[in-house]
Amino acid sequence: QSSTVPALALLALTAAACAPDVGTGRTAAEVSDGPSSAPAVIADRTIAVDPDRSRIHALGAKVTGTHDIWFDDWEGSLQLVGEEVAGLVITIDMNGMRSDHPVLTEHLKAPDFFSVEEFPTAGFTTTGLVAEAGSDGTTHTVTGDLSLRGVIKEVRFPAAVKNGAESFEAHTEFVI
């Protein structure tokens, strides 16, 4: 039995070191240095995003596993031109970030990661929304400025956007 214990321990270590790549099967966002040269969307009107029916979620990954990260304190608005969604503005209070483990949450807020004390907000502002059907059910390509830790980068990613008679729905999932 003594020879079985080391083999089981080695098997457990091997399994833990082989966490799957969370980006597999997901679309990678295109990221460009610096903010977009395009102006933010000029809207006819704006509608507040309902945070009770919406969420901002991330999946963090490391060699040994993954961690869910939620951003609970944020506000957003849809920019409309006529009756069509033309853009989105999101502002996130990074102090409202939490993960599936309290120690990780504190680490993510620390200076070596998001440095929340120095950079208390993050955000996204659309600079372009183009109707463009994707093979994965997406309907638009979104371009905008993503701000994290005081750095702004232009990102482009696919999204499914649906205009309803009394509501608008959008969903996106991408890897950065």
Side-chain angles (χ1 to χ4, degrees):
Q1 185 174 2
S2 62
S3 63
T4 306
V5 174
L8 290 176
L10 180 59
L11 178 61
L13 289 174
T14 303
C18 297
D21 180 355
V22 297
T24 301
R26 291 182 171 92
T27 302
E30 296 175 32
V31 180
S32 302
D33 282 338
S36 172
S37 58
V41 172
I42 298 176
D44 296 338
R45 64 188 174 108
T46 62
I47 298 175
V49 175
D50 182 354
D52 292 332
R53 294 176 42 198
S54 308
R55 70 181 175 125
I56 300 175
H57 173 257
L59 184 63
K62 59 184 179 180
V63 174
T64 58
T66 61
H67 291 279
D68 288 300
I69 303 164
W70 297 273
F71 300 88
D72 294 329
D73 191 6
W74 60 274
E75 59 184 33
S77 62
L78 291 173
Q79 281 65 50
L80 302 175
V81 174
E83 294 302 314
E84 296 294 316
V85 174
L88 172 69
V89 175
I90 299 271
T91 302
I92 301 169
D93 179 345
M94 295 297 285
N95 285 295
M97 174 181 49
R98 64 182 170 88
S99 74
D100 56 6
H101 194 283
V103 173
L104 176 60
T105 298
E106 291 310 309
H107 173 67
L108 291 172
K109 291 180 178 183
D112 65 328
F113 217 90
F114 286 116
S115 192
V116 171
E117 188 173 311
E118 185 177 359
F119 304 102
T121 61
F124 179 77
T125 301
T126 303
T127 57
L129 181 67
V130 177
E132 192 169 64
S135 60
D136 56 355
T138 58
T139 59
H140 290 75
T141 298
V142 179
T143 304
D145 290 335
L146 177 65
S147 170
L148 286 171
R149 283 187 59 104
V151 175
I152 300 171
K153 300 238 180 183
E154 180 184 64
V155 296
R156 178 174 292 125
F157 53 87
V161 179
K162 183 176 164 183
N163 288 358
E166 297 181 22
S167 67
F168 299 92
E169 294 179 24
H171 175 81
T172 186
E173 183 176 287
F174 55 87
V175 177
I176 292 183

